[in-house]
Amino acid sequence: MAQSPFLRIGTRGSALALAQAHLVRRLLARAHGVGEDEIAVEIIKTSGDAILDRPLSEAGGKGLFTKEIEEQLLDGRIDLAVHSSKDMPTVLPDGLGLVCFLEREDVRDGFIGRASPTLADLPKGAVVGSSSLRRQAQIRRERPDLDVVTFRGNVQTRMAKLNAGEVAGTMLAMAGLNRLGISGEVTEVIAAERFLPAVGQGAIGVETRLADTRTRDLLAPLDHRATAIALAAERAFLAVLDGSCRTPIAGLARIDGSSIAFTGEILRPDGSESHVASRAGTVADAEALGRDAGAELKARGGPGFFGHA
Ligand SMILES: NCc1[nH]cc(CCC(=O)O)c1CC(=O)O
């Protein structure tokens, strides 16, 4: 490595985070004709990585995976941070922003079943592990008889628990499994209409200092417009519903040329009740569509739904 690298990327240290950071490094090196060894990848341990024994919603929420990385961005130790957009809070520290989204991977969830290949065919009362409140609620909606348990840890840890027989099945994002080269483990790909994905699922987002025009310009060739527009709608939706991180929330925008179709959903954690709002329009209205759908669901769910009552 040259004494002063061309760019410094910050990332968490999980296999998935590293795969994502290495992808961004490869694309940047190719776009700018520099060697990959001129782009440093710094692994940064976050508080979220240390909490493995309880749901993150209890430990303080999404910001736990970004705090230490953002501190390094703000004081200039790194130039950019590579994230799963799904894990990003809607409000970022002053001076930082998600300025680039890579073309989205598969947005769907995949079921990995041991007791049966499909969720519908699991034996009554089978134990299913999931880390996400959204998936837990969506699983319970379809199969209220199952024993859905909270399943923390990174993708590898969860696969190990599955292989050890702790659970009969689990649900993971196809995007992450694809990036890790292990989507062959999936026994059922779940349509996005059946399990509406998390906001941002499948999209890698790059965060920088907003004033750092050099890094922003270097990232520009990597930015995928349709993904960025979809994320603007989805994150605007989430922002309206935020402050309620214990509520299962799903949202997905699809772009087709200059058209956008957004669907958002809120669920009760036990899956007994859910509300869906959809909006369609043109890409110029992406954020407004997301906000509008969020406002509708906020009104329909009422305070009881969001755990503030
Ligand atoms: N919260 C963990 C997380 N963050 C992003 C992904 C997968 C990749 C993606 O959705 O972009 C995962 C694992 C999972 O949900 O299976």
Side-chain angles (χ1 to χ4, degrees):
M1 179 93 51
Q3 221 173 6
S4 187
F6 180 68
L7 279 170
R8 281 196 184 81
I9 299 177
T11 175
R12 294 171 53 211
S14 72
L16 177 59
L18 283 174
Q20 296 182 158
H22 291 154
L23 172 61
V24 170
R25 172 166 69 178
R26 193 156 63 243
L27 294 172
L28 279 169
R30 204 183 291 160
H32 301 294
V34 301
E36 285 186 32
D37 59 353
E38 292 178 67
I39 302 176
V41 172
E42 312 280 357
I43 295 173
I44 300 162
K45 189 149 177 75
T46 69
S47 353
D49 294 310
I51 301 162
L52 295 174
D53 58 342
R54 57 208 149 114
L56 288 175
S57 52
E58 279 169 27
K62 283 181 173 178
L64 291 174
F65 282 120
T66 51
K67 183 169 166 282
E68 287 80 2
I69 295 176
E70 287 169 334
E71 283 167 6
Q72 296 216 13
L73 260 183
L74 285 167
D75 64 21
R77 279 177 285 169
I78 57 170
D79 303 305
L80 57 135
V82 177
H83 302 283
S84 292
S85 304
K86 182 167 81 174
D87 300 329
M88 294 302 285
T90 51
V91 179
L92 303 180
D94 275 347
L96 300 182
L98 287 167
V99 302
C100 168
F101 294 95
L102 267 53
E103 183 170 5
R104 203 166 203 174
E105 245 279 359
D106 198 330
V107 298
R108 297 172 296 178
D109 287 326
F111 177 69
I112 305 176
R114 291 290 189 259
S116 86
T118 65
L119 182 63
D121 289 329
L122 281 177
K124 225 176 163 26
V127 182
V128 176
S130 170
S131 59
S132 111
L133 292 174
R134 169 189 64 89
R135 291 182 188 128
Q136 290 178 358
Q138 288 167 332
I139 292 168
R140 288 178 175 128
R141 170 166 62 190
E142 284 196 11
R143 291 291 310 269
D145 61 294
L146 295 177
D147 182 10
V148 182
V149 299
T150 296
F151 214 32
R152 282 290 332 281
N154 61 38
V155 175
Q156 267 80 7
T157 315
R158 294 181 215 169
M159 291 302 299
K161 289 181 185 173
L162 188 66
N163 292 331
E166 275 185 40
V167 293
T170 188
M171 195 75 83
L172 289 164
M174 291 302 297
L177 297 169
N178 282 332
R179 293 198 175 102
L180 290 169
I182 55 173
S183 53
E185 298 272 353
V186 170
T187 55
E188 182 184 22
V189 181
I190 309 285
E193 294 71 30
R194 181 172 160 203
F195 272 45
L196 194 68
V199 162
Q201 183 153 308
I204 293 173
V206 186
E207 186 180 23
T208 58
R209 291 180 297 282
L210 291 170
D212 180 1
T213 51
R214 173 180 180 261
T215 302
R216 290 183 75 162
D217 289 347
L218 291 170
L219 284 166
L222 274 58
D223 187 51
H224 187 257
R225 273 299 79 198
T227 301
I229 292 163
L231 268 283
E234 292 171 21
R235 289 175 58 76
F237 166 76
L238 189 60
V240 171
L241 296 175
D242 245 9
S244 49
C245 65
R246 279 159 223 249
T247 305
I249 299 174
L252 177 65
R254 304 252 197 207
I255 312 290
D256 181 8
S258 60
S259 302
I260 179 168
F262 174 82
T263 303
E265 182 178 32
I266 54 173
L267 301 96
R268 284 206 188 270
D270 66 1
S272 63
E273 186 184 341
S274 56
H275 300 275
V276 172
S278 294
R279 294 287 186 281
T282 60
V283 294
D285 300 323
E287 283 187 40
L289 294 183
R291 265 199 305 273
D292 206 45
E296 178 187 331
L297 291 185
K298 198 167 187 169
R300 279 168 56 195
F305 211 95
F306 294 99
H308 294 316

